[in-house]
Amino acid sequence: MSIPHIVKIDVYPVAGRDSMLLNLSGAHFPFFTRNIVVMTTNTDDIGVSEVPGGETITNTLNACKDLILGKPITSFKQIMASINHKYSQLDKRGRGNQTFDQRTTIHVITAVETALLDLLGKFLRVPVAELLGNGQQREEVDILGYLFYIGDSKKTDLDYQKWNTNDNSWESIRRQPALTPDAIVKQAKSAYKRYGFRTFKLKGGVLDGEDEVKTIKLLHRAFPTIKLDLDPNGAWSLAQATKYADELHEDLTYIEDPCGAENGFSGREIMAEFQRLTNIPTATNMIATDWRQLQHALTLNSISIPLADPHFWTMEGSVEVAQLCNHFGLNWGIHSNNHFDISLAMSVNAAAAAPGNIYAIDTHWIWQDGQYLTKNPLSIKNGKISLPSSSIGLGVEIDFDALKRANQLYLEHKISNRDDSIAMQYLINNWKFDPKKPAMVR
Ligand code: GKR
Ligand code: MG
């Protein structure tokens, strides 16, 4: 049997709709962007992948085509090595200070790796999870409900979608302003009703820390048996973080990036002090985002939960981190950003291949649910997504009409790189990003 080879690669920058979600970086714009890769073989099979948006990623993906075209799908490791060799210098400044990762090459490698894994899975008639690490470990993956404070988009003239105030359905709630503990509990109740989550994570770094503590306490009272996590993206000083952590000891399962670099000490050093002082399991998607950082973070004992998002660890790298966690008695989870249903399938395949007792994975999907790029999106039921072993490749089939519409939306609105400071101007005049100040505290 001859091995299929790649004859065509298309890169589609796409956009989707978003709510005015708040975080340390500001307020989400009404549109978010992603890059979708579609690879076709000489046997007419199609492999897909999804990574963050941004023109540099689009352009680098297009520039890589020569390294991939004509190659058999089995040479994916050699292809990734050649892309890394040629473009790794683009990532030399690291992920940056924003809440989201600003690298290029690692996302490009993931996009190529995933589309090839999708094709390999289809060729071998196995799920991508079966090709990673020690193969598929589970058929169901726990998913957490990602709660956000939401700005009042009616204060802007930007093109956010409208809501009906008397309606508590998720469709309506996910667009309504939510800036108080009560509003977040209302949001959680609506998300619970629709998706049945067993874990919630609150995106912090928005209000003063004491108000975020109140929100978690109220959530805990409303959902006493549900696990809770909080992520202020390093907004707090070590002193603030230890104080809030003491107040929340009974309420949280884990805390994520509670503090970061300060007074000449690195984020990894400060988080090590935090974990030692508080004994709260500490997660990150900010200070252990590659092997070199992870090695330092583990040596210092800065974290016990690396959130190994396949989008910036690669699919294989993410599962490799899970294997390490399993051997070292650490916990593993996945970080997320706004995404479509191809990314959902990527994260679920990685989590299905992660050995051991893993945490419910992050996903922003509930904010985008309904905006499908595939004909058979995975769906969250009872707080889980199932990936049966009969699934093939990533388990999703691209919907070309939907893909073209999302590409058209991107082209119409000319948005490329994420910039949460734009919408934030409508809430606070002259607002500027400050990695040590919650977004609404100026
Ligand atoms: O979507 O606003 C957001 C988040 O703040 C995102 O940018 C982060 O990357 O959720 C992410 C995290 O830090 O875990
Ligand atoms: Mg985080």
Side-chain angles (χ1 to χ4, degrees), residues 99 146 201 203 231 233 256-257 284-286 307 335 362:
T99 60
Y146 214 145
K201 176 176 288 185
K203 172 53 62 183
D231 176 16
N233 282 108
E256 178 172 334
D257 290 304
T284 190
N285 62 288
M286 298 180 82
L307 297 175
H335 150 277
D362 294 18

Side-chain angles (χ1 to χ4, degrees), residues 166-194:
N166 300 321
D167 176 4
N168 286 342
S169 72
W170 180 246
E171 274 318 305
S172 188
I173 288 282
R174 69 177 173 173
R175 303 188 170 110
Q176 296 181 20
L179 279 159
T180 60
D182 284 321
I184 293 294
V185 169
K186 190 170 165 195
Q187 189 185 99
K189 284 188 175 159
S190 179
Y192 178 79
K193 194 162 170 216
R194 166 91 176 251

Side-chain angles (χ1 to χ4, degrees), residues 316-346:
E316 283 216 309
S318 166
V319 175
E320 228 178 302
V321 175
Q323 291 176 312
L324 179 143
C325 287
N326 191 34
H327 287 305
F328 287 18
L330 302 165
N331 286 100
W332 177 92
I334 286 185
H335 150 277
S336 74
N337 282 124
N338 292 108
H339 61 84
F340 286 100
D341 38 346
I342 302 170
S343 276
L344 186 65
M346 288 167 64

Side-chain angles (χ1 to χ4, degrees), residues 104-359:
T104 297
T105 310
I106 193 64
H107 295 114
V108 167
I109 290 174
T110 301
V112 172
E113 176 211 28
T114 307
L116 287 168
L117 281 169
D118 190 22
L119 284 167
L120 266 177
K122 284 173 177 156
F123 182 63
L124 298 169
R125 306 200 66 72
V126 293
V128 165
E130 190 59 18
L131 301 172
L132 301 167
N134 296 332
Q136 186 165 357
Q137 308 287 309
R138 57 178 63 75
E139 296 213 337
E140 278 187 333
V141 172
D142 287 330
I143 308 291
L144 62 74
Y146 214 145
L147 308 174
F148 277 78
Y149 294 107
I150 307 181
D152 185 352
S153 61
K154 288 192 175 148
K155 291 188 173 154
T156 78
D157 53 6
L158 300 171
D159 192 9
Y160 290 101
Q161 286 172 306
K162 306 280 177 281
W163 65 87
N164 175 355
T165 316
N166 300 321
D167 176 4
N168 286 342
S169 72
W170 180 246
E171 274 318 305
S172 188
I173 288 282
R174 69 177 173 173
R175 303 188 170 110
Q176 296 181 20
L179 279 159
T180 60
D182 284 321
I184 293 294
V185 169
K186 190 170 165 195
Q187 189 185 99
K189 284 188 175 159
S190 179
Y192 178 79
K193 194 162 170 216
R194 166 91 176 251
Y195 300 102
F197 293 117
R198 307 302 309 156
T199 305
F200 282 119
K201 176 176 288 185
L202 174 68
K203 172 53 62 183
V206 176
L207 306 181
D208 180 77
E210 291 294 359
D211 292 325
E212 297 190 350
V213 168
K214 280 186 201 139
T215 306
I216 291 289
K217 292 230 167 262
L218 205 64
L219 274 171
H220 189 42
R221 215 173 308 146
F223 296 96
T225 58
I226 285 191
K227 293 182 183 155
L228 297 177
D229 312 325
L230 170 63
D231 176 16
N233 282 108
W236 304 332
S237 66
L238 176 61
Q240 289 170 321
T242 47
K243 180 169 179 286
Y244 303 147
D246 280 349
E247 290 167 17
L248 290 174
H249 229 285
E250 303 288 310
D251 309 276
L252 288 178
T253 297
Y254 71 70
I255 195 156
E256 178 172 334
D257 290 304
C259 37
E262 67 184 43
N263 301 334
F265 294 93
S266 72
R268 282 172 285 280
E269 288 165 338
I270 295 294
M271 291 258 284
E273 289 188 37
F274 171 84
Q275 217 181 202
R276 196 163 59 236
L277 289 165
T278 64
N279 278 320
I280 291 199
T282 307
T284 190
N285 62 288
M286 298 180 82
I287 60 153
T289 62
D290 60 26
W291 287 106
R292 186 175 170 197
Q293 291 184 351
L294 183 62
Q295 173 234 319
H296 286 295
L298 295 185
T299 307
L300 288 167
N301 206 16
S302 314
I303 56 152
S304 44
I305 311 160
L307 297 175
D309 186 342
H311 299 84
F312 60 73
W313 270 98
T314 74
M315 296 286 284
E316 283 216 309
S318 166
V319 175
E320 228 178 302
V321 175
Q323 291 176 312
L324 179 143
C325 287
N326 191 34
H327 287 305
F328 287 18
L330 302 165
N331 286 100
W332 177 92
I334 286 185
H335 150 277
S336 74
N337 282 124
N338 292 108
H339 61 84
F340 286 100
D341 38 346
I342 302 170
S343 276
L344 186 65
M346 288 167 64
S347 291
V348 168
N349 272 277
N357 206 357
I358 63 172
Y359 277 134

